Amino acid sequence: MLTENLSYYTDERNVQILISLLKQWGLCQVIVSPGTTHGTFVRCAQIDPFFKMYSCVDERSAAYMACGMAAESGKPVIIACTQATASRNYLPALTEAYYRKLPVIAITGAREEADIGSLMPQVIDRRTVPNDVCVMSVNIPVVKDAVDERSCEIELNKAFAAMKLKNGGGPIHINLESRYSLNFGVRQLPLARKIPTYTAEDELPTIEAVRVGIFVGAHNRWSKRLANAVDAFCEKYNAVVLCDHTSNYRGKYGVLYPLVAGQRNYRSKVADLDLLIHIGSVSGDYYSQITINAGAVWRVSPDGNLADLLKQLKAVFQMTEEKFFENYNLPEFKASPSRENLYKTAKNEQTEIEKSIPELPFSNIFCCNKLAPKIPADSVVHLAILSSLRSMNMFRMDKTITTYSNVGGFGIDGALSTALGASLASPEKLHFLIVGDLAFFYDINALGNRHVSSNLRILLVNNGLGVEFKVGFNFLRLFEKDTNPYMAAEGHFGSKSPDLVRHWAEDLGFEYLTANNKKSFSGNLEKFLSPIQEDSKPILFEVFTEEKNEHDALEMILGCYREH
C-alpha cells in the first residue's frame, strides 16, 4: 500500500504548482544534489519524463555545471539542493551567472519560515540574499488555502519572467518550503496558472474575446496619442472603458462606473466580460473591483509587474499603453464579432441610475452631488481618502477636469499638502480639495505654508469622526457606538467646534465659509466656485454633517435602482 502511494506526484500543493509551471514554461534541465527538504520536488521531477535529470554531489560544482550548460545550450537550467549550508555553496556560481546574465534557476528546499531562529537543526535564514546572485528571489510557502495557492502562482510566474526580462535577465532563486509529505499518490498533476509576459518584440496573442472592457486605475494626464489609440481600440472591439475620476480618461468610450457597480439591487450588464484590460495604478473604486467578473485579465504596464487585482490575471504586457493599443489596432489583429456595444449599454445604465437618485440627506455625498456639475472647466480636483473619493466618484464632472487622489499609499495623510503642491505648480488653475475632518486635521500644518495662493479651495466635511469606519461594507460598523472612541477616533480636534477651523483659517489668510444644512451650503457655492480675482483669497468651506446622514446617504444611493 505504501509503495502505491509513492509512485506518482506529491500532494504538497506548492510543489505541484512549481512542477506544473516549470513544464508550461518549458524548463526541463535539472541538476540535483542529494538531500531531504527538496525531496518532494526531486521525486516529482524524477518520475515525470518531461524533465532531463542530472546528479551532482557538490552544490558548488552543480551550480557551475549549470552555468556551463546554460551558456552552451542557451536554455535555462534548474539546480536543486537541500537546506542548511548546501545552498551557500551555490553563491560563487550564481554570482558568475548574475554578471553573465545566465538563466540558472536555483531551487533550495526549506522548512517553513516559522522555524527560522528556533534552533531547529539545519534551518538557516535565506530571506535576504546578496545583491548580485540573482535578479529575483521568491519564497514558495506550504499551501494551506486558496490565498497561499494564488501567491505561489504569482511569485513563480514573476520569477520566471524576471529570469528573462529584469535588468536584462539572469539567475533566479526559489526557496521551496516542505513538510516532507509521504503522500505521492496524486496521479494527475493539477494545472497551475501560467502568466506569460509579453514585450513589444514578442509575437502577441490574438484577442478571441467577444466582450472586452478596459479598467483604468489612477492615471496621470493622458497623451493625445494614448487617448486616440484607446478610442480606436474601443471602436474596433466594441469595448468600454470603466473608470473613476482618478483615471483621468476623457475619451469617447468612458463610463464613470462606481455608481453602476455599487448598486445592491442591480447587476450591471457589462460586469461580466470575456477579457478585461487593466491599465493605470491603484484605484479607489472598490465597487468595480468587487463587481467585475472577467474570464481573463491582461495587465499592461511598462514595469511588467504581475498586478493580479481581480485574481484572473492571464497575461502581462511589459510595454507602454500606447504601444499595446496601437498594436491591437493593426489590421492583422481581427476583432471577434460582437452583437452588443458595451459602451452604449454601460452609458445607458449610468443614465438610468442617475435618474433614480433620491433626495439625499445633508452629507458628503449630497455635497459632492451638488458640487460636481458646477466645478469650473479645466480645474483640478483632489479627493482625500476614502469617503470623499467614493462620494465624488458617484457623480460626473466636466471632462476637462483633472482629478487626483493619494491612492498610491492609500493613507489618511497628505491630501492637503498634495493639493497645495499642485496648486503652486499650476497657479492659473483652480484647485479644489474635498477632505474629511480626520484627514484635514492630520495635515493641517500645510495651511500655514506661506506659499498658499488664492487658487486653492478646500471643502472640509466635518462629521466629528472617521465616518468611513461607520458606513458601507466596513466591518467595524458592526460594533455601532463602540466603534467611535478608538476605531473611528471620535472627539478630537474640538469635537466639531464652529470656531476652531474658522480662527485658524482666517488668521492664516483664508476666506472662511461654513454650512450645516442644505440651504447654507447652496448659498455659499457661488463664492466657493468663483474665479480667481486680483484680490482673491484661498477659500476654506467647512461643512458640518451628522454620522447618521452620512450612513443613510450611502445606503440610499447604493440601493436606489432596480431594473424595471
Side-chain angles (χ1 to χ4, degrees):
M1 187 68 179
L2 181 60
T3 303
E4 288 183 11
N5 200 39
L6 298 176
S7 302
Y8 304 100
Y9 296 104
T10 179
D11 67 347
E12 290 194 324
R13 184 67 186 121
N14 60 340
V15 178
Q16 293 175 1
I17 293 169
L18 174 57
I19 293 288
S20 175
L21 289 176
L22 287 172
K23 294 177 69 172
Q24 291 182 68
W25 282 84
L27 307 171
C28 62
Q29 302 183 97
V30 186
I31 302 174
V32 175
S33 297
T36 302
T37 51
H38 62 320
T40 51
F41 165 76
V42 175
R43 176 59 182 172
C44 291
Q46 184 177 350
I47 58 97
D48 192 318
F50 171 82
F51 294 99
K52 187 171 184 180
M53 306 287 289
Y54 302 88
S55 176
C56 182
V57 174
D58 186 308
E59 288 84 11
R60 186 176 67 161
S61 180
Y64 274 115
M65 282 174 61
C67 287
M69 190 180 294
E72 179 64 21
S73 69
K75 297 178 180 179
V77 179
I78 301 160
I79 52 177
C81 72
T82 190
Q83 57 183 355
T85 58
S87 61
R88 297 291 195 252
N89 295 314
Y90 280 164
L91 294 180
L94 288 179
T95 305
E96 177 76 13
Y98 180 87
Y99 285 107
R100 290 174 61 192
K101 300 188 181 302
L102 298 174
V104 176
I105 303 167
I107 299 174
T108 58
R111 298 273 291 268
E112 291 176 87
E113 191 172 305
D115 290 338
I116 294 172
S118 296
L119 302 183
M120 295 277 188
Q122 300 188 47
V123 174
I124 62 174
D125 189 349
R126 298 196 189 102
R127 290 174 296 185
T128 302
V129 299
N131 291 331
D132 57 354
V133 298
C134 61
V135 294
M136 181 170 287
S137 175
V138 296
N139 188 65
I140 305 303
V142 170
V143 172
K144 298 177 284 297
D145 53 31
V147 175
D148 288 342
E149 181 166 333
R150 174 172 166 260
S151 176
C152 288
E153 289 179 336
I154 292 293
E155 292 301 300
L156 286 169
N157 278 292
K158 279 183 185 177
F160 295 143
M163 181 175 59
K164 174 184 176 184
L165 298 173
K166 186 175 179 181
N167 299 329
I172 60 173
H173 168 229
I174 297 169
N175 197 56
L176 183 67
E177 295 183 3
S178 175
R179 287 182 175 175
Y180 310 111
S181 173
L182 296 179
N183 184 346
F184 288 83
V186 177
R187 292 172 179 261
Q188 186 67 39
L189 182 68
L191 189 68
R193 179 173 44 142
K194 180 187 178 185
I195 307 173
T197 297
Y198 298 95
T199 68
E201 289 73 35
D202 294 326
E203 182 178 346
L204 302 182
T206 57
I207 294 180
E208 307 290 346
V210 173
R211 295 171 59 83
V212 180
I214 302 170
F215 181 79
V216 189
H219 200 290
N220 291 328
R221 287 190 182 92
W222 290 52
S223 67
K224 188 174 182 179
R225 176 187 167 192
L226 175 59
N228 289 340
V230 168
D231 287 351
F233 179 92
C234 289
E235 185 174 342
K236 178 176 180 177
Y237 294 92
N238 264 347
V240 61
V241 182
L242 305 174
C243 49
D244 75 344
H245 286 309
T246 66
S247 74
N248 286 309
Y249 171 74
R250 305 295 180 254
K252 300 176 184 177
Y253 296 94
V255 174
L256 189 64
Y257 201 56
L259 178 63
V260 179
Q263 293 303 305
R264 292 171 177 163
N265 303 315
Y266 173 74
R267 179 165 178 80
S268 169
K269 292 182 173 63
V270 302
D272 296 305
L273 298 165
D274 301 323
L275 173 64
L276 184 72
I277 297 164
H278 177 203
I279 63 175
S281 61
V282 180
S283 172
D285 174 15
Y286 287 174
Y287 299 122
S288 296
Q289 296 172 44
I290 293 170
T291 302
I292 295 172
N293 175 44
V297 175
W298 287 1
R299 170 66 180 168
V300 181
S301 176
D303 62 23
N305 290 339
L306 276 67
D308 191 19
L309 178 66
L310 300 183
K311 302 177 176 60
Q312 289 295 328
L313 187 64
K314 297 297 171 63
V316 173
F317 295 79
Q318 188 171 356
M319 61 187 70
T320 65
E321 295 159 355
E322 290 91 343
K323 189 67 174 176
F324 173 86
F325 289 108
E326 287 170 352
N327 277 335
Y328 281 99
N329 289 336
L330 294 172
E332 53 260 39
F333 286 98
K334 307 297 182 183
S336 298
S338 174
R339 294 185 296 274
E340 181 181 6
N341 186 310
L342 294 183
Y343 165 71
K344 288 183 178 179
T345 299
K347 199 68 173 180
N348 290 338
E349 289 179 326
Q350 181 186 20
T351 301
E352 289 302 309
I353 293 170
E354 287 172 340
K355 292 177 183 176
S356 303
I357 296 175
E359 179 65 24
L360 299 166
F362 190 57
S363 58
N364 197 328
I365 294 177
F366 170 87
C367 294
C368 288
N369 188 19
K370 300 302 180 184
L371 184 62
K374 296 182 179 181
I375 294 177
D378 292 315
S379 296
V380 180
V381 173
H382 302 263
L383 302 171
I385 301 297
L386 181 61
S387 181
S388 298
L389 173 61
R390 177 182 56 236
S391 297
M392 190 59 88
N393 267 337
M394 300 289 182
F395 310 109
R396 300 190 217 189
M397 296 189 291
D398 188 272
K399 279 196 170 187
T400 62
I401 291 170
T402 303
T403 308
Y404 298 109
S405 180
N406 287 347
V407 293
F410 227 100
I412 189 175
D413 48 327
L416 183 52
S417 296
T418 301
L420 167 61
S423 71
L424 298 176
S426 53
E428 76 286 356
K429 294 184 178 182
L430 281 171
H431 286 252
F432 293 89
L433 168 66
I434 296 88
V435 60
D437 51 289
L438 290 194
F440 172 82
F441 285 109
Y442 204 104
D443 200 16
I444 193 172
N445 283 345
L447 282 189
N449 188 289
R450 73 173 189 266
H451 299 290
V452 174
S453 62
S454 59
N455 66 333
L456 182 61
R457 310 291 169 85
I458 300 166
L459 178 66
L460 165 58
V461 182
N462 191 344
N463 41 58
L465 78 169
V467 78
E468 179 60 30
F469 310 109
K470 302 298 297 289
V471 300
F473 51 68
N474 195 310
F475 79 96
L476 297 178
R477 67 186 175 86
L478 301 175
F479 301 108
E480 298 181 341
K481 289 192 177 298
D482 285 346
T483 301
N484 292 14
Y486 301 106
M487 291 174 267
E490 184 182 33
H492 296 295
F493 312 116
S495 297
K496 297 170 67 174
S497 164
D499 301 315
L500 178 63
V501 175
R502 175 195 293 272
H503 290 309
W504 181 255
E506 289 180 342
D507 288 349
L508 291 172
F510 280 75
E511 183 166 355
Y512 178 85
L513 309 173
T514 187
N516 56 18
N517 56 49
K518 296 179 181 181
K519 183 178 180 181
S520 56
F521 179 79
S522 298
N524 280 304
L525 265 187
E526 183 177 353
K527 180 63 178 176
F528 185 63
L529 297 167
S530 61
I532 304 169
Q533 304 291 339
E534 190 173 337
D535 59 347
S536 294
K537 296 180 178 180
I539 299 174
L540 196 154
F541 188 3
E542 185 173 20
V543 173
F544 294 95
T545 68
E546 300 298 326
E547 174 193 328
K548 184 179 185 306
N549 286 345
E550 296 287 358
H551 173 272
D552 291 348
L554 183 60
E555 293 298 309
M556 290 168 67
I557 201 166
L558 295 183
C560 70
Y561 186 73
R562 289 181 187 272
E563 190 172 21
H564 305 298

